[in-house]
Amino acid sequence: MLVPHLGVVDLARLQFAGTTAIHWLFVLLTLGVVPVVAAFHTCAAFTRDPVRRAARERATRFWGQLYVINYAVGIVTGLVMEFQFGLAWSGLSKVFGNVIGAPIALETLVAFFAESTFLGMWIFGWGRLRPWLHAGLLWVVTLTAYASAYFILVSNGFMQHPVGFETREGTAHLTDLRAVLTNPSALYAFAHVSAAAVLCGGVFLAGVSAYHVARRSADRRFFLPSLRVGLVLAALASYPVYRLGVKQYPLLGRTQPMKLAAGKGGPRVAKLQDAMAAQHGPGDYVPPAWIAHAEEVMLRTGMLTMAIVLLAVVVVFHSALTRFPVIAVLFALGYPMTLVRTAGGLLPGVSERGRYGIALALVVLLLVLGGRVARRPATAWLLVAAIPLPFLASVGGWVFREVGRQPWLVYGQLTVDEAVSHVSVATMWASCIAFLTVFAALALTDWALIARFAARGPAGTQLGAPEPVDPITDAGEFARVL
């Protein structure tokens, strides 16, 4: 058996890349689904019609159970990630612990203490709390989830674009907390990630719902509202994801020009290499050229996801749109602009006018034939197949963001070689195999459980189900009362 000759730095990089990519998938689904479940629960809590209220509570419990499964398995990966920082990246803690330690600690407290506590109260609060208070608990969980994402991106934003600090005797000290908390590299990333999470959550809702529609299961009517909600959410999030992603490129041009240059290649790479060698000393400051492939995965897969979602919206809502001819005409003229902006890159050799013409023809065709297209199972199966696409695009973007700043861990301040722990190759091999094995097992467990409970439908929901009555105990209590 051939074992690749990898050093401590290579193994630490492999370990961090593998664990972060898997942990990232849990985070995306959590952030994308939890506000939807909170909205479902709030609607149920304030509905007086008992029939509608029962239907909305049923939807809350079904989607809430899938969210709880993902959160429960994903929280373990987060704990291991925290442990990994101390084991493999002690140099980072030693030099920049005074700056990034506080945001990471806040992220840990918010995610593992506040979020977990309120989620536990929500899980065990069914039938025991007032409806409005019970629904309010999940909104607190939602806020803490996004606060947790913000704090970890403050740490990551500092490593991408370090601000608000000064170095004394080889150790960084915080001098401007506001600059760190409002670092544009962190704020743009947080906004982009939040929109991407809503897009992922919407595609997940639409895909799971489409599965039951395609199979014409007994719960088909139960999933039609979720299908519409998922598609609307994904369509609304598509444009912010695109715009916020585009807005980060000028920032990269100012803060990390080598990342953009390395992806495109050309003579600018050599000029930037010479400039960085003159500023920081001899060394290789060019990230691997394959980050261009990660960027392509992010762009192409993201565009394909958005195209599927935006066209599916026309099919699912064609009846409502064509009911009012004026609205249908205005929609047919304006909607292709959104399609071209977000997914026009799928046609690289076509002019802007040509892309608009193709998008306009597609939208008009779907408005005319929407009924026939909607009745075909292939349409629903296309939404099921689209579930992994936004996650794949997001991982591609994360790889481009993280690997593209190599060889720096803290850009312009600390290289990966300087930040890695002084441990033996055998120790790093052992931790790498252990962490990646655990993460892979947790990911497979999570996906298997979600697929199993999603396929069962609302009949298999156990979250919030009434406790079974013990006939013996019940009979005894009855006799004692008499």
Side-chain angles (χ1 to χ4, degrees):
M1 179 181 176
L2 293 176
V3 179
H5 182 69
L6 299 176
V8 172
V9 175
D10 300 319
L11 290 169
R13 281 174 166 165
L14 176 63
Q15 177 179 288
F16 188 78
T19 54
T20 305
I22 294 174
H23 177 67
W24 181 236
L25 300 178
F26 292 105
V27 174
L28 268 183
L29 191 57
T30 294
L31 292 176
V33 172
V34 65
V36 180
V37 180
F40 282 166
H41 199 173
T42 303
C43 289
F46 290 96
T47 300
R48 294 187 176 181
D49 184 345
V51 177
R52 290 185 176 180
R53 179 172 182 163
R56 289 169 180 172
E57 282 189 352
R58 200 174 174 220
T60 304
R61 290 191 288 110
F62 173 76
W63 294 108
Q65 178 166 281
L66 299 185
Y67 157 70
V68 169
I69 291 171
N70 184 70
Y71 179 86
V73 182
I75 199 76
V76 181
T77 63
L79 287 170
V80 178
M81 288 285 295
E82 300 287 342
F83 179 69
Q84 182 184 231
F85 273 115
L87 178 68
W89 304 104
S90 59
L92 174 65
S93 305
K94 182 180 178 182
V95 181
F96 285 98
N98 291 335
V99 181
I100 65 170
I104 291 178
L106 284 172
E107 189 270 342
T108 305
L109 284 174
V110 170
F112 300 114
F113 179 71
E115 188 179 355
S116 303
T117 302
F118 284 103
L119 180 60
M121 293 168 66
W122 182 74
I123 292 172
F124 296 104
W126 286 92
R128 297 178 175 85
L129 297 172
R130 292 182 181 276
W132 62 268
L133 177 60
H134 194 202
L137 288 175
L138 199 55
W139 282 113
V140 177
V141 173
T142 304
L143 291 176
T144 53
Y146 278 84
S148 171
Y150 166 72
F151 284 122
I152 200 65
L153 285 171
V154 165
S155 299
N156 182 264
F158 178 83
M159 290 192 284
Q160 300 285 344
H161 178 49
V163 293
F165 77 102
E166 65 178 16
T167 304
R168 297 195 295 269
E169 299 177 353
T171 304
H173 295 269
L174 183 66
T175 58
D176 190 345
L177 178 60
R178 182 178 179 181
V180 175
L181 295 178
T182 60
N183 188 344
S185 184
L187 295 182
Y188 274 125
F190 175 66
H192 185 62
V193 163
S194 299
V198 174
L199 173 64
C200 289
V203 172
F204 176 75
L205 252 74
V208 172
S209 303
Y211 171 79
H212 288 273
V213 172
R215 293 189 63 198
R216 302 186 184 281
S217 68
D219 299 310
R220 181 174 176 273
R221 289 187 177 276
F222 170 85
F223 283 102
L224 285 177
S226 302
L227 173 62
R228 298 189 184 105
V229 169
L231 281 180
V232 168
L233 277 178
L236 291 177
S238 294
Y239 194 61
V241 170
Y242 163 76
R243 290 300 303 169
L244 291 166
V246 169
K247 278 186 170 295
Q248 291 185 69
Y249 277 87
L251 177 65
L252 285 180
R254 295 193 301 272
T255 59
Q256 297 183 13
M258 180 62 91
K259 180 185 289 186
L260 294 181
K264 297 177 182 177
R268 192 159 182 260
V269 176
K271 291 182 179 178
L272 289 172
Q273 163 65 26
D274 293 340
M276 296 193 80
Q279 183 179 358
H280 301 287
D284 184 5
Y285 298 96
V286 183
W290 58 262
I291 63 168
H293 300 304
E295 186 183 16
E296 282 296 308
V297 169
M298 172 189 70
L299 294 174
R300 302 300 174 196
T301 314
M303 290 174 186
L304 181 60
T305 306
M306 293 171 188
I308 292 173
V309 166
L310 294 174
L311 292 174
V313 165
V314 184
V315 174
V316 172
F317 293 97
H318 75 280
S319 297
L321 292 169
T322 54
R323 194 176 302 163
F324 306 98
V326 175
I327 294 178
V329 171
L330 293 176
F331 182 86
L333 293 175
Y335 199 63
M337 290 297 296
T338 304
L339 196 58
V340 170
R341 284 285 182 89
T342 55
L346 292 174
L347 303 169
V350 183
S351 66
E352 186 78 14
R353 186 174 295 178
R355 293 174 187 174
Y356 180 80
I358 294 172
L360 177 63
L362 274 176
V363 171
V364 171
L365 189 67
L366 290 176
L367 283 174
V368 175
L369 302 176
R372 296 181 185 178
V373 176
R375 284 191 291 272
R376 290 186 173 277
T379 306
W381 285 117
L382 181 62
L383 289 177
V384 179
I387 292 178
L389 295 181
F391 295 94
L392 185 60
S394 185
V395 169
W398 194 250
V399 170
F400 175 67
R401 179 178 174 88
E402 294 302 294
V403 180
R405 74 169 187 268
Q406 303 297 322
W408 302 105
L409 196 64
V410 179
Y411 200 81
Q413 302 294 327
L414 184 72
T415 64
V416 173
D417 292 355
E418 295 167 341
V420 75
S421 300
H422 297 290
V423 297
S424 66
V425 175
T427 302
M428 194 57 78
W429 261 116
S431 67
C432 190
I433 292 173
F435 283 163
L436 292 180
T437 303
V438 169
F439 270 60
L442 288 172
L444 291 175
T445 302
D446 181 57
W447 298 334
L449 285 173
I450 287 178
R452 182 176 182 181
F453 282 96
R456 283 182 179 180
T461 304
Q462 297 174 3
L463 176 68
E467 297 178 1
V469 177
D470 185 341
I472 299 176
T473 305
D474 189 53
E477 290 293 322
F478 184 67
R480 190 171 63 182
V481 171
L482 287 179

